């Protein structure tokens, strides 16, 4: 199969997995949000940073190194497997004994048992991390879909059942643990790979020398991706953390489905054409434009109808999350561009530069938090918009050097779709404010965005957007 067909097949199956997974997750979270209180979601939000940190530490960038290596053998895979397993046990024990300190930090005693149970998922996930990496390297995303969807569905039904039985926050905890368990069992059965009892020190040094910079970068990125939840949880109530995490989760729905889906395919794709910079730039540019073309109108339109959207989906008790969500939608537009720019550094083997850029960005975020905390939660969220824009120029600097595609050229390619999205969004807002505000929420969240989509596609056709033509050609061929 040609590279283009392999990539296209990978994207189709990955989109199927992402939309299916996120669709099931969304329905489950929708049901549970109606049963549980915002504060119970807030408790999980408080420990999310520790969960994500532990995940970064367990892997230490080793699986990324496996994907990058042209022909890893059984010793490569087995060495990384046993490293991940050992690290997961070490990290779990560390968090087990530190859980009272986490509870004291937030002044929430219930977090001690929650951390001790929820973190079992680290050990469970470590048993299948290499199997998942092998499938990604082979671009076998169909198999990943066949594993992910049943795991999310079964664990989601379990979570809903526990929520109805008044298990409260524990329904969220057990749902997460059992999702990891179901997924790992299936990956062992379906992948057809098992480790050999070998640990090659030379292989370990090879992968660790590449991966440790990514691991440190991942730790920094994880801390600062969750820093706002940490700060909100420390200085505000669990309910406010719940509102923020709900707003961020809804924003992430289109971001994850559109950008992360492609990112899962693009890293091995970029790695396969690493030595052809002209081709790499062409593929990078096409993917970036396509993602922004699809993502920006979705986020803008959702932000415009945020109030009826939250009331219809989650009921009135979640309306305080609306202004958080509207601002976060702005930050979501540039999110995929950060990932793709940094992917260039990884496939070029410059994990050292990757780390330096992450440190620089975290210093900027820290300064912005210190300045904005005095303006409350909204001040913190608006500071994300500013730091996101600064991060774009930082991330794109080396992309400009390696594949001759600097920040201004990237902005020139993506701004038409963003500007058109906001222009159409203003039209939707006017229609909603003057004509639909007294109608049912379901009418407001369907009619306005539907008309907006028609206008967006019509103007894209008139303006001859490359992404519009690319998507149209792909659909017509299929």
């Amino acid at each position: 199969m040609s590279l283009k067909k392999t990539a296209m097949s990978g994207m189709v199956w990955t989109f199927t997995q992402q939309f299916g997974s996120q669709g099931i997750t969304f329905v489950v979270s929708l049901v549970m949000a109606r049963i549980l209180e915002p504060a119970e979601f807030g408790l999980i939000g408080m420990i999310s940073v520790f969960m994500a940190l532990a995940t970064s530490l367990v892997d230490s960038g080793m699986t990324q190194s496996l994907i990058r290596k042209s022909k890893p053998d059984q010793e490569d895979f087995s060495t990384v497997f046993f490293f991940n397993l050992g690290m997961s046990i070490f990290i779990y024990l560390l968090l087990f004994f530190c859980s009272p300190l986490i509870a004291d930090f937030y002044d929430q005693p219930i977090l001690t048992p929650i951390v001790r149970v929820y973190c079992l998922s680290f050990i469970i996930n470590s048993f299948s991390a290499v199997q998942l990496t092998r499938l990604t390297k082979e671009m076998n995303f169909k198999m990943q879909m066949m594993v992910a969807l049943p795991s999310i569905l079964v664990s989601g039904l379990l979570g809903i059942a526990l929520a109805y039985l008044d298990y409260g926050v524990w329904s969220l905890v057990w749902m997460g643990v059992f999702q990891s368990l179901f997924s790992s069992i299936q990956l062992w059965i379906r992948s057809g790979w098992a480790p050999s009892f070998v640990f090659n020190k030379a292989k370990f040094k090879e992968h660790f020398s590449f991966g440790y910079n990514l691991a440190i970068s991942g730790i920094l990125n994880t801390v600062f991706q969750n820093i706002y939840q940490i700060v909100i949880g420390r200085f505000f109530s669990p309910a406010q953390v719940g509102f923020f995490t709900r707003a961020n989760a809804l924003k992430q729905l289109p971001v994850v489905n559109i950008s992360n889906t492609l990112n899962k395919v693009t890293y091995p794709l970029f790695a396969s054409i690493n030595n052809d910079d002209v081709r790499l730039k062409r593929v990078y540019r096409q993917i970036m434009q396509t993602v922004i073309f699809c993502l920006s109108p979705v986020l803008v339109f959702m932000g415009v109808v945020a109030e009826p959207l939250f009331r219809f989906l989650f009921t009135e008790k979640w309306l305080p999350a609306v202004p958080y969500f509207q601002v976060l939608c702005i930050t979501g537009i540039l999110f995929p561009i950060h990932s793709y720019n940094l992917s260039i550094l990884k496939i070029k083997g410059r994990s050292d530069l990757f780390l330096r850029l992450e440190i620089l960005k975290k210093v900027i975020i820290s300064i912005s938090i210190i300045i904005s905390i005095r303006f409350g939660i909204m001040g913190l969220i608006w500071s994300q918009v500013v730091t996101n824009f600064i991060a774009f120029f930082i991330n794109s600097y080396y992309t400009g050097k390696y594949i001759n595609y600097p920040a201004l050229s990237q902005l020139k390619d993506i701004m038409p779709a963003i500007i058109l999205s906001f222009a159409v969004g203003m039209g939707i807002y006017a229609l909603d404010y003057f004509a639909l505000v007294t109608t049912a929420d379901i009418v407001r969240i369907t009619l306005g965005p539907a008309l907006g989509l028609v206008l967006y596609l019509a103007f894209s056709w008139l303006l001859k957007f490359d992404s519009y033509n690319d998507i149209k050609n792909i659909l017509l061929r299929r």
Side-chain angles (χ1 to χ4, degrees):
M1 186 181 292
S2 68
L3 178 64
K4 184 174 182 180
K5 289 183 178 179
T6 301
M8 183 58 63
S9 175
M11 288 182 184
V12 169
W13 285 114
T14 308
F15 267 114
T16 304
Q17 176 190 334
Q18 280 295 140
F19 277 97
S21 300
Q22 291 298 314
I24 296 170
T25 301
F26 180 70
V27 172
V28 170
S29 66
L30 185 66
V31 175
M32 297 186 77
R34 289 171 172 265
I35 303 170
L36 304 177
E37 293 300 317
E40 291 170 315
F41 283 91
L43 290 170
I44 300 300
M46 287 176 176
I47 66 169
S48 61
V49 62
F50 301 102
M51 299 290 293
L53 266 176
T55 301
S56 296
L57 283 170
V58 167
D59 179 65
S60 297
M62 305 279 270
T63 55
Q64 294 287 310
S65 182
L66 287 174
I67 294 174
R68 178 179 173 272
K69 187 172 181 177
S70 58
K71 294 181 179 179
D73 56 25
Q74 179 70 1
E75 286 193 349
D76 287 287
F77 291 118
S78 298
T79 298
V80 172
F81 174 87
F82 286 111
F83 172 80
N84 283 354
L85 179 59
M87 277 295 291
S88 69
I89 295 172
F90 172 76
I91 295 299
Y92 174 76
L93 292 174
L94 184 64
L95 285 171
F96 183 93
F97 291 110
C98 289
S99 56
L101 299 178
I102 298 172
D104 289 342
F105 176 79
Y106 288 115
D107 194 24
Q108 297 290 331
I110 194 175
L111 288 180
T112 297
I114 288 176
V115 169
R116 290 175 173 176
V117 174
Y118 211 154
C119 289
L120 287 170
S121 59
F122 304 145
I123 299 176
I124 298 171
N125 288 332
S126 70
F127 276 95
S128 59
V130 172
Q131 285 89 337
L132 190 61
T133 299
R134 284 172 57 87
L135 293 176
T136 299
K137 187 170 181 64
E138 296 165 2
M139 299 188 78
N140 188 349
F141 299 105
K142 178 180 179 180
M143 183 71 71
Q144 293 187 37
M145 180 203 71
M146 294 171 67
V147 168
L149 295 188
S151 302
I152 295 171
L153 179 60
V154 173
S155 60
L157 292 174
L158 174 65
I160 291 173
L162 292 175
Y164 270 116
L165 293 172
D166 293 327
Y167 275 77
V169 68
W170 287 102
S171 59
L172 297 169
V173 174
W174 288 114
M175 181 175 69
V177 172
F178 274 90
Q179 182 178 331
S180 296
L181 181 62
F182 297 147
S183 178
S184 291
I185 291 173
Q186 289 186 84
L187 283 167
W188 268 81
I189 295 172
R190 291 178 177 273
S191 69
W193 180 85
S196 301
F197 288 98
V198 60
F199 187 90
N200 188 307
K201 292 182 180 179
K203 301 280 190 183
F204 170 76
K205 289 178 66 176
E206 175 191 350
H207 294 296
F208 189 76
S209 63
F210 174 82
Y212 84 93
N213 282 315
L214 294 182
I216 298 173
S217 300
I219 291 167
L220 287 172
N221 195 44
T222 297
V223 170
F224 282 87
Q225 275 186 342
N226 293 275
I227 191 68
Y228 297 95
Q229 289 169 221
I230 297 173
V231 173
I232 294 171
R234 182 67 180 84
F235 295 102
F236 301 92
S237 68
Q240 291 300 322
V241 181
F243 293 135
F244 177 82
T245 53
R246 173 58 53 196
N248 194 52
L250 187 58
K251 179 265 293 183
Q252 283 294 97
L253 188 64
V255 172
V256 168
N257 277 325
I258 295 173
S259 67
N260 285 11
T261 299
L262 285 175
N263 195 40
K264 194 173 183 180
V265 178
T266 54
Y267 182 59
L269 175 62
F270 289 165
S272 68
I273 55 175
N274 177 28
N275 296 319
D276 188 346
D277 289 345
V278 174
R279 189 181 182 191
L280 183 58
K281 176 184 176 181
R282 184 174 68 251
V283 173
Y284 175 93
R285 178 178 180 271
Q286 185 176 16
I287 290 175
M288 183 187 67
Q289 285 185 305
T290 301
V291 171
I292 295 299
F293 178 82
C294 297
L295 183 61
S296 58
V298 174
L299 288 174
V300 171
F301 297 173
M302 288 176 69
V304 169
V305 296
E307 182 181 337
L309 181 64
F310 268 75
R311 185 166 47 237
F312 178 77
L313 293 177
F314 308 118
T315 70
E316 295 271 351
K317 65 183 178 183
W318 289 96
L319 285 182
V322 167
Y324 305 166
F325 173 73
Q326 290 173 320
V327 180
L328 288 171
C329 282
I330 301 174
T331 68
I333 293 175
L334 286 181
F335 179 84
I337 309 305
H338 300 316
S339 298
Y340 300 147
N341 273 293
L342 293 174
S343 288
I344 299 298
L345 291 182
K346 288 193 287 185
I347 62 103
K348 292 295 184 180
R350 296 305 307 270
S351 58
D352 57 329
L353 286 177
F354 189 106
L355 175 58
R356 292 177 199 171
L357 295 184
E358 289 302 304
I359 292 173
L360 175 59
K361 288 183 292 185
K362 283 16 176 189
V363 170
I364 294 172
I365 292 173
S366 299
I367 294 172
S368 74
I369 289 174
I370 293 172
I371 294 173
S372 61
I373 185 65
R374 69 188 68 182
F375 301 105
I377 297 176
M378 285 303 296
L380 286 169
I381 296 175
W382 272 110
S383 72
Q384 286 193 53
V385 178
V386 177
T387 55
N388 230 314
F389 194 70
I390 295 172
F392 166 74
F393 286 95
I394 294 174
N395 289 336
S396 60
Y397 175 75
Y398 283 102
T399 305
K401 290 184 63 176
Y402 280 112
I403 62 172
N404 192 30
Y405 196 25
L408 292 180
S409 296
Q410 293 186 40
L411 280 177
K412 182 180 177 181
D413 287 335
I414 65 175
M415 283 308 294
I418 295 175
I419 292 171
L420 178 59
S421 297
F422 276 97
V424 174
M426 291 174 63
I428 297 174
Y429 176 80
L431 174 67
D432 184 75
Y433 185 81
F434 292 107
L436 301 177
V437 70
T438 58
T439 62
D441 287 338
I442 185 63
V443 175
R444 296 175 66 184
I445 62 178
T446 53
L447 183 57
L451 292 174
L453 178 61
V454 172
L455 286 174
Y456 182 77
L457 293 176
F459 278 107
S460 298
W461 174 72
L462 288 173
L463 297 171
K464 299 179 179 179
F465 281 3
D466 291 339
S467 299
Y468 173 84
N469 291 324
D470 289 341
I471 294 173
K472 183 184 71 174
N473 291 334
I474 290 172
L475 293 175
L476 290 177
R477 281 202 301 268
R478 293 189 70 83

